[in-house]
């Protein structure tokens, strides 16, 4: 469905994507995970054909450089930074997108309705909340039933409630027989939406595995701030159980594997400590 | 959700499609008509143009329909200043502004090519400027008509058409600048420099050059029509049947060399300006490394 072969992108002498190759088949969801600046969004811009690059990118058998229109016809794109014409209404925005995609306006209206925006049809896009704009972006990405869905940090600008509702929408899309390419720096999101994850660092692919394996294989750590009544005893217990814990001004801090946060809490619970509150600090 | 039914690749032509250009131009026009700058330019233009034609009313009492010669000259002088500014700044903000806001990437993520997007923006701006220029002159003409002023409708229409052609040339030049600028403010700055160059330095520079270098009349004439603002001025003079005596020996040369065809030369120069910058701009935009 999508094939990327030896993709390299340079800005002057700086290599931002270095010899990346991967394939995503129909029905498969693949996530690019990595910190900011790892090259994830640049890969997306290359897939869309917005920037020149070295290597080959094919979408549905169409080379993005030689048959860009046909390649993009198979693509639905949800950008990281939602950029719409704020003065246009949802109706006008959908009208433009459906005309460019050769799809009936009614189909666009249906998609907007499916994503809960029917009542806002005549509202200017600039008047919508971040979550609503994200839903509009998803509706536009789906309007032509694309065989490849490209999601660039799709929930990064949303609050918790909007993020949950948007993730639900994406989860439903996974039932379809379409390929999904997602970029994210959020492990939870990757776990929910993808069955394969490619970890990126400084423009290079450093690891390819299942999302559940990622924290351990990369040695990712988290620090939990735990509130209990008898902090010194809890710290002693955790250190004795192999964790690295220390007292904090109003609780304790414990270093845990990013994929195994619950083990420290289970240790405390099994020893009879009541965990009053927990925060993930890193 | 419905099943995936992507369009077969072979069904979508890679060539530039009018259907797509039309859709983009309509969007651009809609967007431009909501732009306060366009209305500000249009309204200012209408107010001053109305003032000029109103003066023709009092003129007419003294000099009859000859009064419109002066009115037309004043309208042309006004258009020479305002229309290039309007076209250049609207053109300059278009591509760079959309790139800055991210809406350009939104458009280009659709199954469209860069040429279609560029032409769509250009044609949309062309239409928006037609509304502004025709609106400005239209209001002035209407006021003149209602007050029974000494204004020739055909002359007014001719000036309007040529002013629109000038605005089209300027929006093309503005968009050309916009392709290279990363930021909208940079593009605006460059557009203002161009405006100064066309409106002030073009004329003064030409006069200075003619005195300092003693270049031939032919060179000076072609240098003059190479400036779109001058081409507009000369077009209106020649098309409205005026004399090129105002240009001195250069005007005499033009009339001797081209006869009545001088109006074709000047209008053609304006047409070249309306076509060449957008054509080159579209080519550069298509090959632009990062859109």
């Amino acid at each position: 469905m999508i094939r990327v072969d030896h993709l390299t992108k340079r800005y002057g002498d700086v290599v931002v994507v270095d010899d990346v190759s991967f394939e995503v088949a129909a029905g498969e969801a693949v996530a690019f995970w990595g910190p900011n600046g790892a090259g994830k969004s640049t890969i997306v811009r290359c897939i869309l054909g917005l920037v020149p690059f070295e290597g080959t990118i094919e979408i549905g058998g169409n080379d993005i450089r030689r048959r860009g229109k046909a390649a993009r016809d198979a693509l639905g794109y949800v950008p990281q930074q939602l950029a719409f014409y704020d003065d246009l209404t949802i109706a006008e925005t959908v009208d433009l997108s459906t005309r460019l995609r050769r799809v009936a306006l009614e189909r666009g209206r249906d998609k907007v309705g499916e994503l809960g925006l029917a009542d806002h049809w005549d509202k200017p896009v600039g008047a919508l909340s971040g979550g609503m704009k994200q839903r509009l972006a998803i509706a536009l990405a789906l309007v032509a039933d694309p065989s490849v869905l490209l999601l660039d940090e799709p929930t990064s600008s949303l609050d918790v409630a909007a993020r949950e509702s948007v993730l639900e929408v994406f989860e439903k899309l996974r039932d379809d027989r379409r390929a999904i390419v997602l970029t994210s720096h959020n492990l939870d999101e990757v776990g929910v939406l993808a069955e394969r994850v490619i970890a990126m660092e400084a423009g290079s692919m450093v690891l390819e595995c299942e999302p559940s394996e990622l924290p351990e294989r990369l040695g990712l750590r988290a620090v939990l701030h735990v509130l209990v009544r008898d902090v010194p005893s809890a710290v002693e217990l955790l250190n004795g159980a192999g964790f690295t814990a220390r007292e904090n001004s109003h609780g304790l801090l414990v270093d845990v594997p990013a994929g195994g946060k619950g083990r420290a809490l289970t240790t405390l619970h099994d020893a009879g400590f009541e965990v009053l509150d927990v925060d993930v600090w890193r | 959700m419905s099943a995936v039914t992507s369009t077969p690749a072979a069904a979508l032509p890679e060539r530039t499609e009018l259907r797509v250009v039309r859709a983009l131009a309509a969007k651009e026009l809609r967007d431009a008509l909501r732009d306060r700058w366009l209305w500000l330019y249009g309204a200012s233009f209408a107010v001053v143009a109305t003032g000029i034609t109103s003066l023709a009313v009092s003129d007419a009492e003294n000099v009859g329909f000859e009064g419109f010669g002066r009115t037309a000259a004043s309208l042309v002088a006004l258009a020479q200043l305002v229309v290039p500014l309007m076209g250049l700044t609207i053109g300059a903000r278009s591509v760079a502004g959309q790139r800055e806001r991210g809406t350009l990437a939104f458009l280009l993520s659709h199954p469209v090519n860069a040429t279609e997007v560029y032409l769509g923006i250009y044609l949309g701006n062309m239409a928006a400027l037609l509304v502004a220029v025709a609106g400005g002159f239209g209001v002035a003409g209407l006021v003149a008509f209602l007050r029974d002023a000494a204004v020739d409708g055909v002359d007014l229409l001719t000036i309007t058409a040529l002013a629109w052609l000038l605005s089209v040339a300027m929006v093309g030049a503005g968009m050309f600048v916009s392709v290279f600028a990363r930021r909208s403010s940079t593009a605006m700055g460059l557009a203002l420099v161009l405006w100064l160059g066309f409106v002030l330095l073009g004329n003064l520079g030409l006069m200075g050059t003619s005195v300092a270098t003693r270049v031939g009349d032919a060179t000076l004439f072609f240098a003059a029509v190479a400036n779109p603002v001058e081409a507009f001025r000369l077009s209106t003079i020649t098309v409205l049947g005026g004399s090129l005596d105002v240009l001195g020996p250069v005007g005499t040369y033009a009339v001797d060399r081209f006869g009545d065809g001088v109006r074709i030369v000047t209008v053609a120069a304006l047409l070249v300006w309306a076509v060449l910058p957008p054509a080159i701009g579209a080519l550069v935009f298509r090959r632009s490394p990062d859109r």
Side-chain angles (χ1 to χ4, degrees):
Chain A
M1 196 57 67
I2 178 164
R3 191 174 69 81
V4 173
D5 204 19
H6 297 293
L7 171 66
T8 297
K9 172 65 189 167
R10 302 169 206 271
Y11 285 107
D13 292 335
V14 182
V15 179
V16 288
V17 176
D18 190 9
D19 197 25
V20 167
S21 299
F22 65 93
E23 281 186 38
V24 185
E28 200 181 9
V30 173
F32 280 85
W33 179 87
N36 290 336
K40 309 183 297 292
S41 292
T42 306
I43 292 175
V44 169
R45 290 179 69 79
C46 292
I47 291 173
L48 285 166
L50 295 179
V51 292
F53 54 84
E54 297 160 43
T56 313
I57 295 175
E58 283 182 8
I59 299 150
N62 291 301
D63 187 303
I64 189 70
R65 278 185 296 222
R66 278 181 291 182
R67 292 189 54 79
K69 287 174 73 173
R72 278 188 292 275
D73 201 32
L75 267 180
Y77 169 55
V78 178
Q80 180 179 7
Q81 303 288 339
L82 296 171
F84 295 113
Y85 296 95
D86 282 349
D87 289 338
L88 297 189
T89 62
I90 289 186
E92 289 167 333
T93 306
V94 173
D95 180 52
L96 172 66
S97 205
T98 50
R99 280 177 192 275
L100 297 183
R101 292 193 180 279
R102 299 180 304 168
V103 171
L105 177 63
E106 274 315 302
R107 194 148 150 191
R109 194 172 187 139
D110 290 347
K111 283 288 168 208
V112 164
E114 279 175 32
L115 285 149
L117 295 172
D119 293 342
H120 307 279
W121 184 247
D122 291 316
K123 263 191 193 169
V125 174
L128 303 179
S129 68
M132 288 159 102
K133 280 185 185 173
Q134 193 75 357
R135 284 171 175 274
L136 175 60
I138 298 167
L140 295 179
L142 294 174
V143 79
D145 277 331
S147 48
V148 178
L149 206 50
L150 201 53
L151 313 173
D152 189 13
E153 303 269 5
T155 64
S156 63
S157 57
L158 301 180
D159 59 30
V160 177
R163 184 172 168 270
E164 287 301 313
S165 95
V166 165
L167 279 178
E168 274 176 29
V169 174
F170 286 137
E171 275 187 87
K172 284 180 192 161
L173 294 176
R174 285 197 56 193
D175 295 337
D176 283 344
R177 287 195 50 76
R178 63 164 57 91
I180 297 180
V181 177
L182 157 85
T183 74
S184 180
H185 59 263
N186 186 316
L187 272 179
D188 299 336
E189 189 171 286
V190 168
V192 170
L193 297 178
E195 60 233 16
R196 186 154 62 92
V197 59
I198 296 170
M200 298 284 298
E201 196 177 294
S204 298
M205 289 170 62
V206 290
L207 182 68
E208 188 170 346
C209 61
E210 286 184 18
S212 59
E213 299 170 348
L214 188 68
E216 201 171 328
R217 300 232 354 224
L218 284 179
L220 300 174
R221 309 290 297 176
V223 173
L224 298 185
H225 177 248
V226 185
L227 196 60
V228 289
R229 287 208 168 80
D230 185 359
V231 174
S233 303
V235 167
E236 194 180 332
L237 171 75
L238 289 170
N239 284 329
F243 294 98
T244 304
R246 62 186 168 86
E247 282 187 52
N248 163 275
S249 57
H250 54 288
L252 64 88
L253 296 175
V254 56
D255 185 79
V256 292
K261 300 183 193 80
R263 284 202 294 263
L265 302 179
T266 307
T267 303
L268 287 169
H269 179 264
D270 289 349
F273 285 92
E274 186 188 358
V275 176
L276 302 171
D277 199 6
V278 184
D279 279 324
V280 180
W281 277 25
R282 170 163 59 83
Chain B
M1 298 285 169
S2 49
V4 176
T5 52
S6 71
T7 311
L12 193 68
E14 286 300 306
R15 67 170 192 277
T16 298
E17 292 176 276
L18 274 181
R19 166 191 71 81
V20 175
V21 175
R22 209 168 40 231
L24 289 166
K27 191 282 304 171
E28 204 61 33
L29 174 63
R30 219 160 29 202
D31 220 20
L33 291 180
R34 287 171 179 154
D35 183 4
R36 65 181 185 280
W37 282 103
L38 185 81
W39 289 107
L40 193 67
Y41 280 133
S44 313
F45 189 66
V47 167
V48 181
T50 303
I52 289 170
T53 47
S54 294
L55 287 176
V57 176
S58 49
D59 260 3
E61 288 165 6
N62 301 321
V63 290
F65 278 85
E66 285 174 15
F68 187 63
R70 266 178 278 177
T71 308
S74 304
L75 285 175
V76 169
L78 170 70
Q80 258 181 281
L81 282 178
V82 178
V83 170
L85 186 65
M86 192 155 62
L88 278 168
T89 52
I90 285 172
R93 287 167 62 225
S94 60
V95 178
Q98 295 210 40
R99 186 189 287 124
E100 205 170 49
R101 290 193 300 274
T103 48
L104 195 59
F106 166 71
L107 288 182
L108 288 164
S109 70
H110 288 82
V112 300
N113 66 35
T115 307
E116 288 165 343
V117 170
Y118 195 87
L119 287 181
I121 294 174
Y122 175 64
L123 293 176
N125 282 332
M126 259 175 81
L129 284 165
L130 177 63
V131 172
V133 171
F137 279 118
V139 169
L142 186 67
V143 170
F145 172 76
L146 292 175
R147 297 187 62 189
D148 205 18
V151 172
D152 185 315
V154 176
D155 284 1
L156 193 62
L157 272 177
T158 305
I159 297 173
T160 305
L162 290 170
W164 177 61
L165 203 53
L166 174 65
S167 76
V168 169
M170 293 293 95
V171 87
M175 280 181 67
F176 183 74
V177 163
S178 197
V179 170
F180 295 98
R182 302 303 306 169
R183 302 182 67 82
S184 179
S185 52
T186 311
M188 284 288 275
L190 290 170
L192 289 176
V193 170
L194 268 184
W195 178 72
L196 277 175
F198 286 142
V199 171
L200 295 176
L201 302 180
N203 225 347
L204 294 175
L206 214 57
M207 286 165 60
T209 308
S210 67
V211 172
T213 63
R214 294 183 184 175
V215 294
D217 293 340
T219 311
L220 274 179
F221 174 73
F222 285 111
V225 292
N227 177 346
V229 177
E230 272 300 291
F232 164 71
R233 187 168 75 103
L234 298 179
S235 300
T236 50
I237 292 172
T238 52
V239 172
L240 295 180
S243 164
L244 286 182
D245 288 348
V246 286
L247 296 179
V250 177
T252 310
Y253 160 81
V255 173
D256 287 349
R257 172 76 176 78
F258 300 107
D260 281 349
V262 71
R263 70 187 63 174
I264 296 171
V265 174
T266 52
V267 174
L270 209 48
L271 279 171
V272 167
W273 266 99
V275 172
L276 211 56
I280 299 171
L283 203 66
V284 174
F285 183 65
R286 207 173 65 189
R287 296 179 178 189
S288 174
D290 293 297
R291 290 188 287 262

